[in-house]
Amino acid sequence: PAGKNLTVNGSLVGEDLLKNNVYVKGTIDFQNEIALKEVNIHFQGGSSSINEIEGNGTLIFYSSSSGSSVEKCKGQLGILIKNNTSVSISKSEIGWFGMEEKETSLDISDSVISGIVNLTKIQGFKADGDIFMGQVTITGGSPEFKECEFTDYVFLCNRNEAKFTECVFGNSL
């Protein structure tokens, strides 16, 4: 509930990622090295600092949690950023991320993204020193990439203003 703090000292394990949802309207404090397995965490309270969690769960950030950060996380975590929300990711290994189009921003640095990335009409995306292991598709918008490495295809669809500075492409652009 709003105004309350939940401290998680152990892993959160569910049976089905589509059915297991935790809605956080207060604050949540993950102790170090927590695993999220088949669980979605919906951040609907204030901003949160997520550190050193792993697994295949999904972190979903809403406008009320704008300003949240994700650091030193591992595994196949998914990160979804809803409209009017700003999030930063650093020094993490994640499976995927997604951004809604309206007033979202994501600053990601020194991280590895193992899955497919689709950026559609995104204006507030900056990547610095990241490795993209899966295919990246950019459809419109103006994402910025600095000193990033792309190991799979990078597709530029329709008109866009994507910027690539000192990046390495291991496959076709």
Side-chain angles (χ1 to χ4, degrees), residues 98-111:
M99 299 171 67
E100 291 185 349
E101 294 178 23
K102 184 180 175 191
E103 301 295 322
T104 59
S105 72
L106 172 60
D107 290 333
I108 183 167
S109 62
D110 303 316
S111 296

Side-chain angles (χ1 to χ4, degrees), residues 158-172:
N158 301 329
R159 293 183 182 192
N160 67 67
E161 297 177 20
K163 293 180 186 177
F164 300 91
T165 306
E166 298 180 26
C167 293
V168 175
F169 297 90
N171 215 320
S172 298

Side-chain angles (χ1 to χ4, degrees), residues 70 79 81 87-94 96-97 99 105-113 117 119 124-132 144-146 148:
V70 176
I79 297 175
I81 303 167
V87 174
S88 65
I89 302 170
S90 65
K91 299 177 182 148
S92 294
E93 299 172 12
I94 62 173
W96 62 274
F97 66 86
M99 299 171 67
S105 72
L106 172 60
D107 290 333
I108 183 167
S109 62
D110 303 316
S111 296
V112 176
I113 302 90
V117 173
L119 297 172
F125 176 80
K126 292 182 182 178
D128 187 358
D130 301 299
I131 300 172
F132 293 84
E144 297 179 22
F145 301 89
K146 180 181 176 188
C148 293

Side-chain angles (χ1 to χ4, degrees), residues 114-155:
S114 61
I116 294 172
V117 173
N118 291 306
L119 297 172
T120 304
K121 298 180 183 176
I122 300 301
Q123 302 300 325
F125 176 80
K126 292 182 182 178
D128 187 358
D130 301 299
I131 300 172
F132 293 84
M133 303 295 290
Q135 174 182 303
V136 175
T137 302
I138 301 168
T139 307
S142 57
E144 297 179 22
F145 301 89
K146 180 181 176 188
E147 298 179 2
C148 293
E149 182 176 344
F150 300 88
T151 64
D152 206 335
Y153 293 99
V154 176
F155 292 101

Side-chain angles (χ1 to χ4, degrees), residues 36 53-59 73-79 94-96:
L36 295 179
I53 62 172
E54 61 182 62
N56 68 344
T58 305
L59 307 177
C73 293
K74 299 180 196 174
Q76 294 298 311
L77 287 172
I79 297 175
I94 62 173
W96 62 274

